[in-house]
Amino acid sequence: RRRADMFVIVGRSEPLYELELSGGSGASASGNLDQFIIHSALDMVDTALLQHTSLFLRTVDSFGEKFVSAYVTPSHVKFMLLHERNKNEDTIKAFFQEVQELFVKITLNPFYTYDTGRNPAPSWSHPHPNRCPNLLCLTRPVPRPKPN
């Protein structure tokens, strides 16, 4: 039973982190669709920011059976989760709050460059990915092109 399909952290100018959580034989075709759904929901997140005062924006968009929930940090970094069913919002909110705590720890790292996906330490990794309880096994950063 899958809990979610994709989790993305989006900075001001580019995706900082992306994790495809769905597995199985059709993961690559589904992964492209999942990326499209999440990235198309970015406009809905910006619209929801104007209507809500809370950091947790709840479900901001849906596509068929898939829903996009969003959370925006005070520095306007967006956390977005693509999931299949409209799950318990308290669970999703707790997940986003835990991710924000980890994100704050990483951004306080003196070697971290703000609003980039590059981080010198693998502090997003969970030591036992098969036993990760809250989807916090963030182990695969978005590949970055090498500067010329």
Side-chain angles (χ1 to χ4, degrees), residues 1-9 17-22 69 80-84 87-88 91-96 98-99 102 124-126 128-140:
R1 177 178 145 193
R2 280 196 316 226
R3 298 171 74 176
D5 289 335
M6 181 172 273
F7 173 70
V8 177
I9 299 174
Y17 185 84
E18 186 175 287
L19 179 65
E20 187 175 331
L21 300 166
S22 58
S69 295
M80 301 176 72
L81 182 69
L82 180 69
H83 48 94
E84 285 188 348
K87 299 197 178 279
N88 183 354
T91 305
I92 294 173
K93 182 178 180 179
F95 166 72
F96 282 139
E98 287 183 44
V99 171
L102 290 172
W124 287 84
S125 301
H126 190 278
H128 304 288
N130 295 334
R131 292 187 264 166
C132 186
N134 296 323
L135 295 175
L136 293 178
C137 304
L138 307 178
T139 57
R140 194 174 58 206

Side-chain angles (χ1 to χ4, degrees), residues 70-119:
Y71 183 95
V72 180
T73 67
S75 61
H76 295 284
V77 173
K78 300 167 187 81
F79 301 155
M80 301 176 72
L81 182 69
L82 180 69
H83 48 94
E84 285 188 348
R85 289 180 219 100
N86 207 354
K87 299 197 178 279
N88 183 354
E89 287 185 352
D90 293 332
T91 305
I92 294 173
K93 182 178 180 179
F95 166 72
F96 282 139
Q97 288 171 338
E98 287 183 44
V99 171
Q100 182 181 7
E101 288 177 21
L102 290 172
F103 186 75
V104 166
K105 289 178 183 177
I106 285 177
T107 56
L108 290 176
N109 181 343
F111 300 108
Y112 176 78
T113 305
Y114 182 74
D115 207 18
T116 63
R118 294 181 296 275
N119 185 26

Side-chain angles (χ1 to χ4, degrees), residues 33 36-37 40 61-68 82-84:
L33 177 62
F36 176 76
I37 294 169
S40 67
D61 198 9
S62 64
F63 180 81
E65 301 277 326
K66 298 184 180 209
F67 299 90
V68 178
L82 180 69
H83 48 94
E84 285 188 348

Side-chain angles (χ1 to χ4, degrees), residues 23-58:
S25 59
S28 62
S30 174
N32 292 337
L33 177 62
D34 292 348
Q35 285 180 340
F36 176 76
I37 294 169
I38 287 228
H39 292 297
S40 67
L42 282 170
D43 292 333
M44 300 302 289
V45 171
D46 292 335
T47 302
L49 275 173
L50 300 173
Q51 299 170 354
H52 297 286
T53 57
S54 172
L55 298 175
F56 177 54
L57 302 177
R58 305 183 190 277

